[in-house]
Amino acid sequence: MTLPAETTGSGRTTASAVLDRCDELATHSSAPDGLIERVYLSPEHAAVNALAAGWMRDAGMTTWQDAAGNQCGRLEGATPGLPALLLGSHLDTVPSAGRYDGILGVLSAIAVVERIAAGGCSLPFALEVVAFGDEEGTRFGTALLGSRALAGTWLDAWWELTDDAGTTLHDAFTDFGLDPAAITAAARSSNDFVGYLEVHIEQGPVLEERDLPLGVVSSIAGARRFQITITGKAGHSGTPWSHRRDALAGASEAIVAIERLARDADLIATVGHLEVFPDAVNVIAGRAEFSLDLRGRFDADRDAVWQQIEAMLEEICAARGLHVAVHQTHAAPAAHCSDRLRGVIAAGIEVAGLEAASIRAAEDDEPDPAPEPVELLSMAGHDAMAVAHLTEIGMLFVRCAGGVSHHPDESVTEADVAQALDAFEAAVLALAAGSAAGSAADRAAEDSA
Ligand code: GLV
Ligand code: MN
Ligand code: MN
């Protein structure tokens, strides 16, 4: 196996090389002026898959693109054909994105496989890396398409989803060179995997506030998304109050009420998209369409607030002579990270923290002790939620500046990424050590039986 020039020469891809690769992927964008936008099944998606595949091969993996456009790689374990530990995240982005959401997770996974391959240690499981094609859901309105294909939870109803240009998901597949009829080939079985681990930027301020580079994810909040259409009557802006049925005024009242209902229940609600028809300065809005993304720690609380929101929409529209229609575009239940994988991530963070502390000790007479790993609830959605349908999941969060994400200002430090790579590698090795100890204990139990 030849090592790429940007490694340290020992197969240990550096944090600096990972960040350079993030910069390189950021250049594959459909947006002008240096902004980043890369949606599912676009030419930019094909380009980043090709780059990731090359890096996977450099790391010693065999590669393939699956039937949903996810880029995959595999490094065999101690014997060929073992179930795999799956490592991954996504390469698609929101509009005006940062360069690390999803991308850092894919590139960290490749770097860790490269380290393990170069170290020559044979694990009691194979390692697979997956770069999912769609986590954000910005092109077709429903999220996690790549990871749901792998999890075998693809819905045929999705084929008719359209993007802003009117292209169906079905046609986007064929344009990308994929065969919609073959989608089930992307589905993997629970028996294929021993677990799934994902590195991701925190997308929240907690690690920064606690002055910690890394954290263990406890669970991922469930989300539901809706398209809400309020219809009134378009007409001249001179129409008197008694005769107006203004869809935008109704939508505005509803959006403020949604914020209040969600806030009172300690949930998060975001209306990030609003369109008005016919959209003219001197015409009353006849129709307003807006999105709603509703999230909470517990699915039952979130669903109860959605019922309150539906009742409130009916009430506001009845009072204003408007009509409301709602359409759910996405639903993902909350996902819990398993105790076992939370344990290996915490162990990895401790190993990386001790290494960092010993480096500080060499430089400083009174270094801070390595802190205990903290657990965090993720309010952002992740591919892990879909993969949880197949196998147990664990996630490692990396501090990001100000908790800012889904914005060009997304930022991480090289030192934090270096610790994340060390922690992720140590977590994989801790799981391997646990599996080996587990199988030795199983064999001993079998022998004595
Ligand atoms: C993706 O980042 C999401 O949380 O929706
Ligand atoms: Mn995101
Ligand atoms: Mn993400």
Side-chain angles (χ1 to χ4, degrees):
M1 184 181 84
T2 46
L3 296 174
E6 68 215 297
T7 65
T8 58
S10 61
R12 296 186 70 76
T13 306
T14 59
S16 150
V18 165
L19 294 176
D20 286 349
R21 288 175 176 181
C22 291
D23 291 346
E24 183 169 356
L25 293 184
T27 64
H28 294 274
S29 167
S30 59
D33 305 326
L35 292 175
I36 305 169
E37 178 166 12
R38 194 168 51 245
V39 296
Y40 188 37
L41 305 177
S42 58
E44 297 75 31
H45 175 189
V48 295
N49 271 6
L51 279 167
W55 292 327
M56 287 175 181
R57 285 190 290 271
D58 289 342
M61 289 178 258
T62 52
T63 61
W64 67 99
Q65 182 178 271
D66 76 10
N70 300 312
Q71 180 58 50
C72 308
R74 180 174 168 103
L75 178 77
E76 294 297 346
T79 54
L82 289 170
L85 175 64
L86 184 63
L87 313 175
S89 196
H90 61 99
L91 293 181
D92 66 315
T93 77
V94 295
S96 291
R99 54 190 60 200
Y100 305 111
D101 171 358
I103 291 100
L104 182 67
V106 172
L107 299 180
S108 298
I110 295 172
V112 162
V113 172
E114 179 168 52
R115 289 177 176 200
I116 289 171
C121 67
S122 56
L123 302 182
F125 41 73
L127 289 174
E128 287 193 22
V129 174
V130 56
F132 289 113
D134 174 87
E135 184 258 12
E136 304 287 6
T138 45
R139 181 166 181 193
F140 293 102
T142 196
L144 303 169
L145 290 172
S147 37
R148 285 179 167 195
L150 178 134
T153 54
W154 187 272
L155 297 180
D156 279 339
W158 292 338
W159 291 121
E160 296 313 314
L161 293 171
T162 51
D163 66 8
D164 286 346
T167 306
T168 62
L169 179 57
H170 183 280
D171 289 350
F173 256 61
T174 49
D175 293 348
F176 196 76
L178 296 170
D179 176 7
I183 186 66
T184 50
R188 304 290 298 272
S189 139
S190 298
N191 296 331
D192 291 345
F193 300 120
V194 299
Y196 172 77
L197 295 178
E198 180 169 354
V199 171
H200 206 285
I201 54 167
E202 183 200 349
Q203 305 181 287
V206 178
L207 290 174
E208 190 174 70
E209 281 166 12
R210 297 205 192 172
D211 197 19
L212 293 171
L214 306 174
V216 185
V217 178
S218 54
S219 58
I220 308 169
R224 289 175 73 179
R225 292 183 185 166
F226 302 90
Q227 184 188 25
I228 300 171
T229 304
I230 294 186
T231 311
K233 182 134 185 69
H236 198 285
S237 59
T239 305
W241 291 115
S242 54
H243 286 69
R244 296 167 82 100
R245 289 166 53 214
D246 185 332
L248 179 55
S252 307
E253 189 179 339
I255 291 166
V256 175
I258 286 170
E259 188 184 52
R260 178 176 43 75
L261 288 170
R263 200 189 278 266
D264 288 353
D266 201 18
L267 297 181
I268 299 288
T270 304
V271 175
H273 172 80
L274 170 68
E275 263 183 293
V276 175
F277 303 89
D279 195 17
V281 67
N282 57 350
V283 184
I284 296 167
R287 192 167 90 245
E289 292 180 4
F290 59 96
S291 60
L292 169 62
D293 175 308
L294 188 64
R295 306 172 179 224
R297 178 191 288 254
F298 301 110
D299 295 340
D301 295 351
R302 180 202 61 193
D303 294 346
V305 168
W306 169 243
Q307 283 183 356
Q308 290 174 20
I309 290 174
E310 271 192 302
M312 170 278 293
L313 287 167
E314 291 291 350
E315 203 175 303
I316 289 174
C317 288
R320 290 174 169 272
L322 304 169
H323 175 263
V324 62
V326 299
H327 171 59
Q328 179 168 293
T329 54
H330 169 72
H336 183 70
C337 296
S338 76
D339 291 348
R340 184 169 76 124
L341 295 186
R342 281 153 72 170
V344 299
I345 296 273
I349 292 175
E350 271 177 310
V351 169
L354 288 173
E355 279 170 20
S358 72
I359 292 167
R360 285 198 304 272
E363 293 166 353
D364 187 346
D365 286 343
E366 286 184 47
D368 299 333
E372 291 281 303
V374 287
E375 291 220 333
L376 303 160
L377 164 73
S378 174
M379 288 308 287
H382 300 289
D383 295 297
M385 303 168 89
V387 182
H389 185 80
L390 270 189
T391 188
E392 58 185 292
I393 59 165
M395 289 192 71
L396 169 70
F397 268 177
V398 184
R399 163 168 61 189
C400 63
V404 172
S405 178
H406 286 190
H407 189 278
D409 288 349
E410 232 171 49
S411 156
V412 290
T413 67
E414 189 178 322
D416 286 358
V417 173
Q419 264 200 62
L421 294 178
D422 290 345
F424 205 39
E425 180 185 9
V428 172
L429 296 177
L431 186 67
S435 301
S439 20
D442 290 348
R443 275 196 305 279
E446 278 166 24
D447 289 351
S448 67

